[in-house]
Amino acid sequence: MIRHVVSWRLAATEPAARAADAAAIVERLEALVGVVPEIRTLQVGTDVVGNPNWDVVLIADYEDLDALARYQVHPAHEAAAAFIRSVAAEKAAVDVQF
């Protein structure tokens, strides 16, 4: 199993805009479940304690590296990723095998 973990720091500095962008990311990523068949599990959420480092995190599981690669190029994922790139200032990602 491959666990894909991604964190984003959003570009917006105004709290309401930051919250709206974070909610839009969550909505777009959660919508991938059932659309992208390679996703085994997917959890996405926003920071709840005001951490200055990261605003949104994704934790998703895939059967293997090939499944992760298919997810990355799926049109629905590419659309979500394009939106995220438009509102994120930074991204950190790691993929681990269990």
Side-chain angles (χ1 to χ4, degrees):
M1 178 191 74
I2 302 299
R3 178 154 293 159
H4 178 61
V5 181
V6 185
S7 296
W8 295 275
R9 181 175 302 122
L10 301 180
T13 56
E14 199 277 315
R18 206 173 183 86
D21 289 344
I25 290 172
V26 170
E27 180 181 339
R28 283 169 169 79
L29 291 173
E30 286 179 341
L32 298 176
V33 176
V35 174
V36 180
E38 287 78 14
I39 298 171
R40 287 178 60 185
T41 65
L42 183 143
Q43 296 176 303
V44 59
T46 60
D47 177 63
V48 295
V49 295
N51 186 328
N53 296 319
W54 303 103
D55 299 297
V56 181
V57 66
L58 165 73
I59 302 169
D61 294 332
Y62 305 88
E63 186 66 33
D64 52 31
L65 288 171
D66 290 335
L68 175 61
R70 289 190 302 275
Y71 159 80
Q72 295 286 353
V73 298
H74 191 284
H77 171 263
E78 288 182 340
F83 172 77
I84 294 168
R85 283 191 299 274
S86 78
V87 299
E90 291 185 63
K91 169 184 154 181
V94 63
D95 298 298
V96 296
Q97 187 166 20
F98 291 102

